Amino acid sequence: MSKVRIQNAQVCIGCSPSPREGWTSYRFNFRGFRDLTTAKNHCVMTPRFTCSDHEWTLDLYPGGVHLATDGYMSIYLTLRSEVSTAATHEITLLDKFGNAERVKQMTDRIFDKSAWEWPSLGWCNFINRSDILDASNNILDSSGTLAIVVSMKDEPTAVFVPPNPLLNMMQEMFNDDTTADVCFEVANGADEVEKDEKIAGGSTSFHAHTFILKKCAPMLDDLIPHGNDMGKAASVQVSDVQPDIFRHLLWYVYGGKIAEDTLKANAKDIIDAADKYSIVNLKLEAEAAYVKSTTFTAENVLDNLLYAEAMNLALLKEAVIDFLVGNGEQIIDEVTFSHIPGCLMKDLLVATTRSVKESKNEVATDMNLMRVSELRRKLNEKGLDVDGSREAMIASLIRSESVGNNATLLEAEDEVNEDEDEDENNAEEE
């Protein structure tokens, strides 16, 4: 259920709170709080504010979000910048005398842009609205103004150091026919090709370097015939990818960044090509762009679900399942599930259980309930493959933890054996 912004609400920045070392704080006064609508998912959005080089808003729902218990006010901090970040933030509700009436904090939580366009974190049951309106609690002032303070922990500012130039050097070698030792001849389709590629008959030429492909795109390297004459570039025919998509693929292999608009416009073609040639990170970037740019409806939800299942797109699958869980009544009336694989039942149960926990502001520590982005982050930290279904990712993490535990036990046994050997040697010496 999407949120609705309350148009007649008045919110302004109040007097700056007392400074706290290492924190940046903003006070917002929500005027006429008692007269604001209590309809679910209707919010008052503060003006944007900046902390640690990111823009944010504080979103207050007088009647709560749709997951909130009836009668409770919800409040969320929303990232309004274009890149993901982690933040520690604190929300304080003040009484009319400026004293803290309610304080809640989240520590080092990730605002993930790959999962949501405007990621928000907060509390669906922040405080009972009746407690705010109760005059004996002295929360609202004489004009019915509610004061909220948002505080964010400052990130240390790093000293500027120029980046390692290797990436720029690699990108300068992209499609350089003077140093390349392989040429991919990609069959032309109906689409136009870039001007800087050479068109030979019915194909477009892309020049590359085997030493880069061996490490960054081994499946492309496997296509190259070896044992060619010295000084003569090998030639490889490619007919299953359009030239413009192959160009994006190869540019990414050379460390290039593909523009967000390009990813969104060509998401499925890039996903298919990246999956075919195992350019995993590009596949995941295109998947994230597709999720962000797609509006799920009762008409397209099944097509997206089957596509996610066929291409092993765990993030897309999670987004579709979340849509199903959040729009159950509409889906039941308008969608038939006769062709849906039975294995998706577990995904529905996971999404439903996770939704209940999130509505209670509980953090999912069980891997079976973690979001795909969190599972991928854990896999990446361990140097494991991040491509695969939820089940495959969880199994990989469990195996990794099992191996780590076994290694710890072996180390402990070695230490015990060394101590026993030392004791025996000491006894013999005595």
Side-chain angles (χ1 to χ4, degrees):
M1 184 181 294
S2 60
K3 66 182 179 184
V4 178
R5 188 170 181 178
I6 302 174
Q7 298 298 326
N8 62 342
Q10 295 184 9
V11 56
C12 62
I13 298 177
C15 298
S16 299
S18 300
R20 296 166 59 188
E21 184 176 355
W23 291 74
T24 298
S25 298
Y26 293 86
R27 172 173 171 164
F28 294 100
N29 295 327
F30 297 83
R31 296 174 178 171
F33 176 83
R34 62 166 55 91
D35 298 322
L36 296 176
T37 178
T38 58
K40 288 289 186 73
N41 264 50
H42 284 61
C43 82
V44 181
M45 186 184 301
T46 69
R48 293 192 180 197
F49 57 94
T50 302
C51 185
S52 299
D53 297 325
H54 293 281
E55 285 195 329
W56 309 83
T57 62
L58 192 63
D59 301 341
L60 181 142
Y61 299 77
V65 296
H66 70 283
L67 295 175
T69 303
D70 289 346
Y72 274 80
M73 181 188 82
S74 305
I75 192 164
Y76 288 84
L77 179 67
T78 301
L79 176 65
R80 298 294 174 180
S81 295
E82 295 301 323
V83 294
S84 301
T85 189
T88 294
H89 70 280
E90 184 179 275
I91 306 295
T92 303
L93 183 146
L94 303 178
D95 64 19
K96 66 182 181 181
F97 306 112
N99 302 314
E101 175 68 23
R102 181 71 55 89
V103 180
K104 292 194 177 184
Q105 185 182 106
M106 288 187 178
T107 303
D108 290 332
R109 299 296 296 273
I110 296 174
F111 291 78
D112 189 2
K113 293 286 290 186
S114 68
W116 308 100
E117 182 178 8
W118 305 119
S120 298
L121 290 173
W123 296 269
C124 65
N125 293 330
F126 184 82
I127 189 173
N128 196 309
R129 181 180 170 86
S130 63
D131 291 338
I132 298 175
L133 300 179
D134 188 344
S136 65
N137 290 328
N138 293 314
I139 293 178
L140 300 180
D141 66 12
S142 58
S143 63
T145 297
L146 177 68
I148 301 285
V149 173
V150 55
S151 302
M152 301 189 66
K153 196 169 185 179
D154 298 328
E155 296 179 4
T157 303
V159 177
F160 173 75
V161 177
N164 190 319
L166 177 61
L167 183 60
N168 287 336
M169 293 177 182
M170 283 186 59
Q171 292 176 3
E172 288 173 358
M173 296 171 64
F174 172 71
N175 215 19
D176 181 8
D177 58 356
T178 62
T179 60
D181 55 1
V182 60
C183 179
F184 291 96
E185 300 290 350
V186 183
N188 292 330
D191 298 333
E192 295 183 359
V193 298
E194 299 286 341
K195 294 181 180 179
D196 57 345
E197 276 82 55
K198 296 179 180 178
I199 301 176
S203 65
T204 304
S205 300
F206 295 90
H207 301 277
H209 305 77
T210 55
F211 75 92
I212 292 177
L213 299 179
K214 282 181 183 294
K215 187 65 178 176
C216 302
M219 290 192 68
L220 284 177
D221 181 67
D222 289 344
L223 300 177
I224 302 171
H226 296 286
N228 285 277
D229 296 336
M230 292 296 293
K232 184 178 180 181
S235 179
V236 178
Q237 304 295 319
V238 177
S239 59
D240 53 3
V241 180
Q242 289 289 329
D244 57 338
I245 301 301
F246 191 87
R247 186 182 196 279
H248 296 315
L249 196 77
L250 198 60
W251 173 241
Y252 190 88
V253 168
Y254 276 72
K257 181 71 176 176
I258 300 177
E260 185 78 8
D261 290 344
T262 301
L263 281 174
K264 290 179 180 179
N266 302 278
K268 281 193 171 183
D269 288 335
I270 293 176
I271 288 171
D272 294 346
D275 182 71
K276 185 186 300 292
Y277 292 110
S278 196
I279 314 296
V280 173
N281 283 33
L282 177 58
K283 175 185 175 183
L284 301 188
E285 283 195 30
E287 178 193 17
Y290 182 77
V291 170
K292 288 169 62 176
S293 62
T294 301
T295 300
F296 299 112
T297 65
E299 289 72 28
N300 67 21
V301 66
L302 288 190
D303 288 340
N304 280 298
L305 183 58
L306 295 174
Y307 178 65
E309 185 76 5
M311 298 302 297
N312 221 358
L313 302 172
L315 185 68
L316 175 59
K317 186 176 179 182
E318 179 181 79
V320 173
I321 295 293
D322 283 346
F323 175 80
L324 292 175
V325 171
N327 298 271
E329 292 184 8
Q330 177 189 3
I331 299 301
I332 290 173
D333 292 337
E334 300 182 24
V335 179
T336 174
F337 292 86
S338 58
H339 300 296
I340 298 300
C343 61
L344 295 178
M345 180 60 68
K346 181 177 180 180
D347 295 283
L348 285 167
L349 291 174
V350 167
T352 303
T353 305
R354 184 173 56 231
S355 176
V356 172
K357 283 186 170 291
E358 289 177 349
S359 71
K360 299 177 181 178
N361 298 313
E362 297 179 7
V363 179
T365 56
D366 182 353
M367 281 190 288
N368 287 308
L369 297 178
M370 285 183 182
R371 289 202 168 273
V372 168
S373 289
E374 181 65 13
L375 292 172
R376 286 175 175 173
R377 183 185 65 79
K378 287 181 175 292
L379 288 166
N380 186 63
E381 289 175 350
K382 294 176 179 289
L384 302 173
D385 186 9
V386 296
D387 189 23
S389 63
R390 282 185 57 87
E391 292 75 13
M393 288 189 284
I394 292 170
S396 182
L397 285 170
I398 292 174
R399 284 195 301 270
S400 174
E401 291 183 357
S402 177
V403 170
N405 292 336
N406 290 337
T408 302
L409 289 173
L410 289 174
E411 290 176 1
E413 290 175 0
D414 289 341
E415 290 178 2
V416 171
N417 292 334
E418 288 175 2
D419 291 341
E420 291 176 350
D421 291 342
E422 185 176 346
D423 291 341
E424 291 177 1
N425 291 334
N426 291 336
E428 292 174 359
E429 290 175 2
E430 293 175 359

